Amino acid sequence: GQQLNQSPQSMFIQEGEDVSMNCTSSSIFNTWLWYKQDPGEGPVLLIALYKAGELTSNGRLTAQFGITRKDSFLNISASIPSDVGIYFCAGLRFGNEKLTFGTGTRLTIIP
Amino acid sequence: EAQVTQNPRYLITVTGKKLTVTCSQNMNHEYMSWYRQDPGLGLRQIYYSMNVEVTDKGDVPEGYKVSRKEKRNFPLILESPSPNQTSLYFCASSLGLAGGTQYFGPGTRLTVL
């Protein structure tokens, strides 16, 4: 099955820095979702995007649904220690009741 | 408290010994799903269920079975586990898939020797 290409695979940043990550696909998706997974736990939904071009914020997190419908972006501003974890994008097509996940971006904050 | 529970959380077994991982949700969700997570591969869907007695294959169904006899339960069955099924497994549920928030369980780490 198809998987989404997510980059970067890992990031090492200092506290306070901004973070950007993206997700791309060769196919169109109708919904984009961003999840975060803390160590030892299941993923938790952060942001859901439903329209091409849509820009949605959740606190320090901002995500965008790409105009082409083949990509999505997640930005985290002023990172804090609790932002550490793995971030996954996921896409959904109408009529296909399956979520396709990206390979994940592991975020580490350097003291 | 709304939650998805999985049992066991950790399991070490041997090749060929049948096992079942249970999943239960208390939110009256129609949609339930099983994923496996492997390093560098993210989450891949094994099976999903749209409602009671309605199940369908995900992207990596080989070697797995599921059943949905009740709305709240969605067990994952490995009839004859093999070492390549060593992985971290997650169950998830949602009211509906399109736009619905998927709630994930805490995960089951399975090792097949």
Side-chain angles (χ1 to χ4, degrees), chain A residues 34-49:
Chain A
W34 284 93
Y35 286 84
K36 180 184 180 230
Q37 182 180 25
D38 290 325
E41 299 185 15
V44 173
L45 183 66
L46 299 173
I47 293 179
L49 302 158

Side-chain angles (χ1 to χ4, degrees), chain A residues 1-3 31 35 37 40-43 45 50 86 88 92 96-99 101-103, chain B residues 9 31 35 37 40-45 48 50 59 90 97-99 101-102 104-106:
Chain A
Q2 178 192 12
Q3 281 190 289
T31 298
Y35 286 84
Q37 182 180 25
E41 299 185 15
L45 183 66
Y50 303 105
I86 304 176
F88 290 101
L92 178 69
N96 184 347
E97 300 296 336
K98 296 192 299 183
L99 269 184
F101 278 84
T103 49
Chain B
R9 292 291 311 278
Y31 184 97
Y35 296 89
Q37 183 177 14
L41 296 178
L43 287 149
R44 294 179 294 168
Q45 191 177 51
Y48 65 97
M50 299 286 288
D59 296 316
F90 288 101
L97 183 57
T101 299
Q102 279 210 34
F104 281 81

Side-chain angles (χ1 to χ4, degrees), chain B residues 31-74:
Chain B
Y31 184 97
M32 297 186 75
S33 181
W34 276 102
Y35 296 89
R36 61 178 288 174
Q37 183 177 14
D38 302 291
L41 296 178
L43 287 149
R44 294 179 294 168
Q45 191 177 51
I46 303 170
Y47 268 94
Y48 65 97
S49 170
M50 299 286 288
N51 213 325
V52 175
E53 302 292 2
V54 180
T55 63
D56 208 348
K57 296 177 180 179
D59 296 316
V60 288
E62 293 76 23
Y64 304 95
K65 285 174 57 177
V66 293
S67 69
R68 188 89 182 273
K69 293 183 169 49
E70 307 164 282
K71 201 170 190 178
R72 63 181 292 129
N73 297 321
F74 190 44

Side-chain angles (χ1 to χ4, degrees), chain A residues 24-61:
Chain A
T24 60
S25 170
S26 57
S27 306
I28 287 174
F29 286 94
N30 302 109
T31 298
W32 285 92
L33 307 170
W34 284 93
Y35 286 84
K36 180 184 180 230
Q37 182 180 25
D38 290 325
E41 299 185 15
V44 173
L45 183 66
L46 299 173
I47 293 179
L49 302 158
Y50 303 105
K51 285 175 55 176
E54 180 181 353
L55 188 71
T56 298
S57 293
N58 179 4
R60 293 177 296 104
L61 278 61

Side-chain angles (χ1 to χ4, degrees), chain B residues 78-96:
Chain B
L78 284 72
E79 294 271 2
S80 183
S82 61
N84 65 11
Q85 292 179 298
T86 292
S87 187
L88 180 59
Y89 291 87
F90 288 101
C91 179
S93 76
S94 64
L95 198 56

